[in-house]
Amino acid sequence: MVSLRNLIACLAGAAVAAALHIPADSAYAPKHATCPATPLVRGATGISAAESDYITRRHRKASAALKTWLRSVDEGFDSVSKEWPAHSSGKGAKAPVVALTSSGGGYRAMLSGAGVVKAFDGREKVKTGVSGLYQALTYEAGLSGGSWLLSSLSANDYPTISSLQKSLWEEALESSLLVTSILVSTPKDTIYSTVEANVKAKRDAGFEPTIIDPWGRLLAYGLLYGVDGGVRATLSGLTKTSSFKSYMAPYPIITALGVETGSCIPEVNATQYEFHPYEFGSWDAGVAAFAVSKYVGTSFSNGRPIKSCITNYDQLSYVLGTSSNVFAAACTPVPANNSADASLVQNFAAFVSKPGSDVSVRETFGLFPNPFQGRHDSPEVSGLSTLELVDGGVGVGYQGNPIWPFLYRSDVDVIIVNENSADTRDNYPDGTQIVNTYKAAVAVGLKRMPTIPSVETFVTKKLNQKPTFFGCHSTEAATIIFIPNFNYTFTSGQPTSKIQYHRNETVGMISNGVEVGNYGGKDNWPLCLACGITKKNGKKLPDGCAACFEEYCFN
Ligand SMILES: *[C@@H]1O[C@H](CO)[C@@H](O)[C@H](O)[C@H]1NC(C)=O
Ligand SMILES: *[C@@H]1O[C@H](CO)[C@@H](O)[C@H](O)[C@H]1NC(C)=O
Ligand SMILES: *[C@@H]1O[C@H](CO)[C@@H](O)[C@H](O)[C@H]1NC(C)=O
Ligand SMILES: *[C@@H]1O[C@H](CO)[C@@H](O)[C@H](O)[C@H]1NC(C)=O
């Protein structure tokens, strides 16, 4: 018989053991939670009630900012914006809903995209002709390098680019943790062991870590403020920032691609997933469902949690790491090797597996317990317990710019597409990415995508080197304002694989990006951009607009 004293000792011992079992850095590990009574998975019939509520309130603020900006450009816009009621919903004249997309392309895309945001941001000290337009955005999407930019903005409560550049990026990109000799060097020891412990904590909690865990964590040290490289930042937690709570910021969306089981390269019709503060999922026919972001990590059967719910799986670093997962494409096991001479991906592998052993191909994906398992209306994935995700811009029909989410949101009127992809040999865009999105949209009948000409046309008419508007004259399609990376003041066509930028290069890239957003200071750009944005939402546009449409509208 067990004495009472022993029993108490055992219980105490058990309690201690349990407490010891929770790793000190469990801020990263997924956690068990009680499931809410409300449904956690739904069919993709429209945006969620939560997003709809956010967007309605955000659009009011964005409209006010748009009016202010338009007036600063030309007083002639007054009569246009007078037609817009303060609280509009449904059909009829209203201020346009404007979205910005930032493409992939590693740090090149992040920095060039940041320059465009800086050009648009009315809070920056140095003004451009388009300062104030950032405040008029309702949505902002990022893919891969673009998702690094968007995460750095949204998780840090929307500081200015100038402040991120000075206080975080310049140093982080110069002593880059992605340079293996820096990663394994003595001063970085604590970061190295913290990330190691993060990965272990995830495994100990019963989840499969992959190389995307260290990839995302190490990137996050340069993107997110807060202890241990922003380890407390989650996708669903973005709703807790004061900018979000006061509807001061565009609604952020990060994209990634699904890969079919047994393959590594996404097919031309691969499922496009979107991650946002409220939901994760896809509009595409094979999935056509969304799950509540906070509970991503939970195992579901036909929309119901199988056991308890899981939270904290939606680590922002894991999401941005997944969006930029270019490693699975190699489709081979990776030797774990934590030496300065080994490759970066081999070093990531060493966080997941013992040096000397291999990580499997599966361990090169961003893995997500499949919220749509057993769901009849999600035929592509209903049989899968886990979703295997990769960079949104890779595969057979790669689309390096996150335009897709807005082709399903029919109230988005204008999509400002900032293109920083490396299509040409010298790492500039040639239209390939947006052409691929156009082809994919035609294939599934998405009418919001305007007609996009061929890559040959982009190149011969130099549409890949200057801002161009598409869909100006289409009532069915959204208007796309295409703004490609171009070397106005700096060689901004840096390779995607460049993982270290000296301070002067970070400065040069962002300053050039400002020129990209401001069309190199071209005289008629502010007016013409304003005309393009308001074309379908205003009757009496200023006189100058006709010439703008002549110059900037491709169709
Ligand atoms: C892509 O198309 C093929 C052929 O029609 C189909 O078998 C496959 O299920 C599709 N994949 C997705 C993800 O929809
Ligand atoms: C790690 O990589 C280095 C450099 O390529 C190589 O010399 C070493 O043998 C590798 N170690 C293991 C355990 O494979
Ligand atoms: C931009 O690139 C072109 C073509 O390589 C080159 O001729 C030009 O000098 C570059 N401009 C700047 C500012 O680097
Ligand atoms: C940036 O600074 C480094 C180190 O001082 C120098 O070697 C390099 O040439 C500079 N690059 C540019 C683009 O100015």
Side-chain angles (χ1 to χ4, degrees):
M1 220 179 99
V2 184
S3 74
L4 187 59
R5 177 184 289 266
N6 276 349
L7 186 64
I8 289 168
C10 282
L11 284 172
V16 169
L20 282 178
H21 184 72
I22 297 172
D25 59 313
S26 61
Y28 188 69
K31 295 175 176 42
H32 291 271
T34 309
C35 297
T38 47
L40 296 178
V41 175
R42 67 177 186 96
T45 47
I47 59 171
S48 66
E51 181 180 331
S52 172
D53 180 63
Y54 187 90
I55 291 309
T56 303
R57 293 161 192 266
R58 170 63 200 153
H59 184 242
R60 273 177 214 156
K61 294 220 187 304
S63 308
L66 183 61
K67 284 183 194 178
T68 307
W69 176 66
L70 290 172
R71 171 166 246 286
S72 78
V73 170
D74 190 314
E75 288 184 2
F77 283 106
D78 273 356
S79 57
V80 177
S81 59
K82 275 206 195 85
E83 299 167 28
W84 302 334
H87 300 259
S88 67
S89 58
K91 289 194 167 49
K94 64 171 174 51
V97 174
V98 185
L100 171 68
T101 72
S102 305
S103 78
Y107 282 134
R108 174 193 66 250
M110 170 174 123
L111 296 173
S112 186
V116 171
V117 169
K118 186 175 177 182
F120 288 174
D121 192 341
R123 301 170 303 170
E124 294 282 358
K125 277 206 194 71
V126 179
K127 304 292 180 198
T128 69
V130 292
S131 296
L133 183 54
Y134 188 72
Q135 280 63 33
L137 301 176
T138 294
Y139 283 102
E140 183 175 5
L143 177 158
S144 199
S147 83
W148 304 350
L149 165 63
L150 181 55
S151 297
S152 203
L153 284 166
S154 57
N156 297 326
D157 202 12
Y158 291 89
T160 58
I161 295 299
S162 296
S163 110
L164 281 171
Q165 176 185 335
K166 279 272 163 287
S167 312
L168 195 55
W169 296 347
E170 282 185 15
E171 167 62 22
L173 270 61
E174 181 156 288
S175 49
S176 172
L177 293 168
L178 305 183
V179 174
T180 53
S181 60
I182 295 179
L183 175 63
V184 301
S185 69
T186 317
K188 301 293 179 190
D189 272 356
T190 53
I191 291 179
Y192 196 98
S193 48
T194 303
V195 172
E196 226 172 6
N198 290 154
V199 171
K200 182 174 185 302
K202 185 167 181 176
R203 191 191 299 286
D204 289 351
F207 296 86
E208 293 175 80
T210 78
I211 62 166
I212 299 310
D213 289 282
W215 166 236
R217 288 277 66 244
L218 292 168
L219 282 168
Y221 276 86
L223 303 174
L224 312 179
Y225 290 120
V227 292
D228 296 341
V231 74
R232 293 187 206 287
T234 58
L235 180 67
S236 55
L238 295 178
T239 57
K240 305 251 163 57
T241 61
S242 78
S243 299
F244 194 94
K245 284 195 284 195
S246 55
Y247 312 100
M248 292 306 286
Y251 189 70
I253 300 178
I254 292 174
T255 63
L257 276 181
V259 170
E260 287 182 33
T261 310
S263 127
C264 300
I265 313 281
E267 289 301 322
V268 70
N269 60 344
T271 304
Q272 301 209 32
Y273 287 92
E274 39 178 75
F275 291 90
H276 28 100
Y278 293 126
E279 292 191 315
F280 159 70
S282 177
W283 300 94
D284 295 347
V287 174
F290 288 94
V292 175
S293 295
K294 184 175 178 187
Y295 297 99
V296 161
T298 304
S299 290
F300 288 90
S301 174
N302 193 19
R304 291 176 196 285
I306 294 174
K307 283 185 256 157
S308 73
C309 275
I310 300 299
T311 59
N312 209 43
Y313 195 96
D314 65 328
Q315 279 284 330
L316 190 59
S317 65
Y318 195 62
V319 172
L320 67 88
T322 297
S323 180
S324 56
N325 176 12
V326 293
F327 306 106
C331 214
T332 72
V334 182
N337 187 335
N338 59 350
S339 104
D341 306 324
S343 70
L344 184 59
V345 68
Q346 291 178 351
N347 270 274
F348 294 155
F351 282 97
V352 177
S353 208
K354 279 200 188 63
S357 64
D358 285 355
V359 303
S360 64
V361 171
R362 180 177 166 92
E363 289 167 319
T364 65
F365 292 109
L367 296 179
F368 289 83
N370 177 12
F372 316 115
Q373 181 176 201
R375 201 175 169 277
H376 178 261
D377 293 335
S378 303
E380 276 298 325
V381 296
S382 60
L384 306 178
S385 59
T386 310
L387 299 175
E388 299 178 344
L389 305 189
V390 299
D391 187 298
V394 300
V396 177
Y398 48 89
Q399 303 176 41
N401 217 307
I403 299 169
W404 206 246
F406 303 121
L407 304 182
Y408 284 98
R409 287 172 170 81
S410 56
D411 40 352
V412 173
D413 300 291
V414 178
I415 313 170
I416 301 176
V417 173
N418 174 215
E419 180 55 67
N420 302 305
S421 296
D423 303 322
T424 66
R425 278 217 304 221
D426 51 354
N427 302 308
Y428 292 95
D430 69 6
T432 296
Q433 314 293 327
I434 194 169
V435 167
N436 284 343
T437 297
Y438 171 63
K439 287 181 184 160
V442 169
V444 295
L446 289 176
K447 302 273 192 267
R448 296 297 291 166
M449 186 70 192
T451 304
I452 302 294
S454 67
V455 167
E456 293 67 35
T457 303
F458 266 86
V459 173
T460 51
K461 297 196 179 263
K462 297 199 190 305
L463 308 180
N464 59 330
Q465 297 188 349
K466 61 184 183 193
T468 304
F469 305 165
F470 299 100
C472 293
H473 309 301
S474 161
T475 46
E476 228 175 10
T479 302
I480 284 189
I481 311 264
F482 182 74
I483 305 184
N485 182 22
F486 181 74
N487 64 333
Y488 292 95
T489 56
F490 188 80
T491 313
S492 53
Q494 298 293 325
T496 308
S497 57
K498 182 174 164 70
I499 49 178
Q500 187 177 31
Y501 282 72
H502 291 297
R503 274 169 210 277
N504 53 356
E505 295 174 314
T506 295
V507 170
M509 286 295 291
I510 294 179
S511 304
N512 186 75
V514 171
E515 298 303 322
V516 171
N518 196 33
Y519 197 169
K522 191 172 189 298
D523 274 352
N524 70 4
W525 174 235
L527 174 69
C528 292
L529 179 56
C531 297
I533 288 173
T534 50
K535 182 167 192 300
K536 293 175 191 167
N537 297 61
K539 289 195 203 82
K540 277 178 29 199
L541 297 179
D543 294 341
C545 285
C548 287
F549 298 141
E550 198 58 40
E551 179 178 350
Y552 288 85
C553 288
F554 180 82
N555 55 21

